[in-house]
Amino acid sequence: MVKISGIILVIVIAVVIISVFSLSPKLVLEKKEETINVFDNFEDIYYSATSFGKDVTDQVVKDGVVDTEHVGKYIITYSVKNMFFKTKKTLTVNVIDNVSPELNLIGDNDYNVCSLDTYIEPGYTALDNYDGDITNNVEKNFINDNEIEYKVSDASNNTSKQVRKLIVGDKKKPDIKLKGNDVLYITKGSAYKESGATASDNCDGDLTKGINIEGKVNTSKKGTYEIKYSVKDSSGNEASITRKVIVQDKKSSSKTTNDNTPVTTTNTTGVIYLTFDDGPGSFTNKILDILKKNDIKATFFVTMAGSNDVLRREFDEGHTIGLHTATHVYKQIYASIDSYFDDLNRVSNRVQSITGKETKFIRFPGGTSNHVSAVGMSNIVREVNAKGYTYFDWNLSVEDAGECAYKKDKKTCVVNNFKKYLKPNKVNMVLMHDIKSYTANGLEEMINYAKERNYTFKQIDDSTEPVQFKPYR
Ligand code: ZN
């Protein structure tokens, strides 16, 4: 009896359990686990529910949220019930970051250095889609003697690598500069005094003593003579420059130019410094072509814009590179002395990484006369001077970023301003922008105008007397 009633009890319990299960609603989830990338949308999975054979999907209640902006594990609960019973299932959503950081080297991956021990790290940046700026986490290691491996991982262990190969040797030609004017006028019968040239090399240093001078001036005969100065560095890279010496009659002669204005061909002392801000830009190559054709050296106050190749071309073709700004955002630059130098150092590092040379010439964004500086320009000027920089304002603006930018014929406006403000009895420090098409288009006309009037073009160097606005705030 006991045995039989025991068996019956087990059967009854089994029946009860089975019927309870069959009374509970049925809930089907497409999957138990889902993985999405951070910042992507979470799209709900497919699910369905039935109760006593009836579709009750629309009665499913979902609970829980997925924060797609943050990496993590999120649980969503799906539940559905009928009169007596409830069925519950969960979905696990993993929000992950599987995007590698962007690791960028400042300066080229194939990097020229004179020797391994003179290598100065040009810098790098690492930005992650999720962690933000992780430049400080970059690890640098020498591999194979002359290769540097840069490695950075984000918090989710996504790793990026870069390799910089140091190419040892002197690949740059020396920098040779004339002392005195590149075009010299002397009166027939007077003596020609050789004022020489200076040369320096990125690897060998001062090479002035090795300059070879060729050419002769016959001062008893009218004519144009060329003196060639050339120098070689220890790796055989050669550079040269020429000076034109024009021997002419005593009296100054007059000639007529295109626009019928009589000009004096002698006794002009006017000097022009062409300076270009805000580049390199789309029109810099055109400007460089014109300068090359006319054998003129200019000064470029550069930014972070444009290609490294164009900046390198400015340098390789012997122009002076100065520093303008990294951001050109006045409020940010002039918020404090520190922020000013943060901005300046960025563009300085760029120049150094491309040219291998530090430049100490600067032009303040907006000039020293800007009214933006929160700390006062006099304080910034003091710091800048203390750090050995020389800043250059201007005394001739062609207004290519000013009034001419709003004129219909922008090129004519720029050229006219140049002609109007150019003065023979002063050093003309000309402000231009190599990011303006009309400045590039008008440049040759400006150069011709000045050449016809015997102006001398110069580039900023250590001997240049700076033009500086005074007083400033
Ligand atoms: Zn500017």
Side-chain angles (χ1 to χ4, degrees):
M1 275 308 276
V2 175
K3 257 185 191 169
I4 291 171
S5 58
I7 291 166
I8 290 170
L9 186 63
V10 169
I11 291 169
V12 168
I13 290 171
V15 167
V16 168
I17 290 172
I18 288 164
S19 36
V20 163
F21 267 99
S22 62
L23 291 175
S24 302
K26 268 194 192 121
L27 179 60
V28 179
L29 300 190
E30 180 193 359
K31 49 175 104 167
K32 280 183 175 170
E33 195 156 351
E34 168 86 318
T35 299
I36 61 163
N37 290 327
V38 65
F39 305 127
D40 279 358
N41 281 333
F42 167 63
E43 276 169 32
D44 205 352
I45 57 163
Y46 174 78
Y47 58 87
S48 62
T50 49
S51 180
F52 300 115
K54 239 177 67 191
D55 186 348
V56 291
T57 305
D58 58 351
Q59 289 169 32
V60 173
V61 176
K62 284 180 284 180
D63 195 29
V65 278
V66 178
D67 181 356
T68 57
E69 308 230 317
H70 292 98
V71 166
K73 193 174 231 176
Y74 301 91
I75 310 280
I76 298 184
T77 309
Y78 299 75
S79 54
V80 64
K81 57 181 181 184
N82 58 25
M83 278 191 301
F84 313 104
F85 303 102
K86 186 173 175 179
T87 306
K88 204 164 130 183
K89 284 190 174 171
T90 60
L91 170 72
T92 304
V93 181
N94 299 302
V95 177
I96 61 159
D97 169 20
N98 66 355
V99 179
S100 297
E102 256 182 58
L103 177 58
N104 281 311
L105 300 187
I106 298 170
D108 293 339
N109 287 53
D110 284 349
Y111 197 79
N112 291 314
V113 283
C114 296
S115 69
L116 283 181
D117 31 290
T118 57
Y119 172 69
I120 300 166
E121 173 59 49
Y124 42 81
T125 57
L127 291 176
D128 186 59
N129 67 318
Y130 187 64
D131 299 353
D133 189 342
I134 52 170
T135 304
N136 287 337
N137 299 351
V138 175
E139 282 175 35
K140 257 175 67 180
N141 283 303
F142 259 96
I143 51 171
N144 308 330
D145 291 344
N146 66 334
E147 288 182 356
I148 304 171
E149 187 189 68
Y150 302 75
K151 210 166 119 181
V152 69
S153 300
D154 65 14
S156 300
N157 246 331
N158 301 298
T159 302
S160 293
K161 278 185 197 171
Q162 288 270 12
V163 172
R164 192 186 320 264
K165 196 170 169 191
L166 301 182
I167 299 161
V168 181
D170 187 354
K171 313 281 176 196
K172 279 197 183 115
K173 55 185 185 180
D175 200 8
I176 185 164
K177 279 179 184 154
L178 294 178
K179 281 187 183 167
N181 294 347
D182 50 357
V183 181
L184 198 67
Y185 295 87
I186 57 173
T187 313
K188 195 172 136 189
S190 64
Y192 168 67
K193 198 177 154 280
E194 178 55 60
S195 42
T198 58
S200 66
D201 185 61
N202 61 320
C203 293
D204 297 339
D206 190 356
L207 288 179
T208 302
K209 281 184 181 146
I211 294 175
N212 183 39
I213 305 176
E214 288 168 90
K216 278 213 166 107
V217 179
N218 183 356
T219 55
S220 62
K221 203 178 158 206
K222 243 173 63 171
T224 301
Y225 301 87
E226 280 198 355
I227 312 281
K228 188 180 175 193
Y229 305 78
S230 52
V231 68
K232 249 186 204 171
D233 65 21
S234 59
S235 304
N237 302 305
E238 193 173 359
S240 66
I241 193 166
T242 54
R243 187 194 319 271
K244 256 188 203 160
V245 182
I246 299 167
V247 178
Q248 56 189 10
D249 288 333
K250 248 187 196 125
K251 273 196 175 173
S252 64
S253 58
S254 268
K255 71 170 184 180
T256 305
T257 57
N258 308 338
D259 54 358
N260 291 323
T261 334
V263 290
T264 315
T265 56
T266 56
N267 304 331
T268 297
T269 54
V271 171
I272 297 172
Y273 286 87
L274 296 178
T275 72
F276 297 92
D277 286 10
D278 291 1
S282 312
F283 310 103
T284 310
N285 269 328
K286 180 173 183 180
I287 286 170
L288 287 168
D289 290 344
I290 295 170
L291 294 174
K292 193 177 194 176
K293 185 178 145 197
N294 286 279
D295 199 15
I296 291 171
K297 302 284 183 252
T299 304
F300 292 87
F301 289 102
V302 301
T303 64
M304 300 301 279
S307 85
N308 290 354
D309 288 343
V310 178
L311 206 157
R312 190 175 298 113
R313 183 181 167 196
E314 292 171 354
F315 180 76
D316 286 347
E317 295 187 355
H319 302 288
T320 298
I321 310 292
L323 309 174
H324 191 38
T325 168
T327 62
H328 221 294
V329 178
Y330 291 153
K331 268 206 169 151
Q332 191 183 322
I333 298 165
Y334 293 124
S336 70
I337 289 183
D338 282 349
S339 61
Y340 174 76
F341 282 102
D342 283 348
D343 179 83
L344 186 71
N345 289 338
R346 272 182 65 200
V347 67
S348 175
N349 287 341
R350 181 191 191 198
V351 168
Q352 214 167 323
S353 73
I354 295 169
T355 67
K357 223 172 144 182
E358 191 184 12
T359 176
K360 288 290 193 181
F361 304 126
I362 58 177
R363 170 159 290 148
F364 290 113
T368 327
S369 57
N370 78 79
H371 293 288
V372 200
S373 176
V375 282
M377 282 312 288
S378 52
N379 293 317
I380 294 183
V381 163
R382 195 183 314 121
E383 288 293 316
V384 151
N385 289 336
K387 287 186 156 76
Y389 292 100
T390 308
Y391 67 94
F392 291 82
D393 289 313
W394 56 89
N395 57 22
L396 195 169
S397 169
V398 296
E399 293 289 332
D400 57 347
E403 57 156 353
C404 296
Y406 308 101
K407 292 273 161 68
K408 201 172 167 208
D409 188 349
K410 299 177 173 60
K411 185 187 108 174
T412 303
C413 174
V414 165
V415 172
N416 285 347
N417 280 335
F418 179 82
K419 291 180 181 174
K420 187 164 120 196
Y421 298 122
L422 193 69
K423 291 284 159 359
N425 55 355
K426 71 170 188 186
V427 168
N428 297 275
M429 188 65 72
V430 183
L431 171 67
M432 296 180 169
H433 296 82
D434 48 328
I435 54 167
K436 304 289 186 189
S437 60
Y438 41 93
T439 301
N441 292 337
L443 184 62
E444 195 133 43
E445 193 178 337
M446 293 185 260
I447 288 173
N448 289 338
Y449 177 87
K451 277 195 161 176
E452 282 159 2
R453 285 158 183 78
N454 281 321
Y455 280 86
T456 308
F457 288 91
K458 286 189 171 183
Q459 67 193 124
I460 288 174
D461 63 21
D462 289 326
S463 66
T464 309
E465 189 70 33
V467 171
Q468 299 179 335
F469 298 143
K470 274 175 190 122
Y472 39 76
R473 290 191 315 133

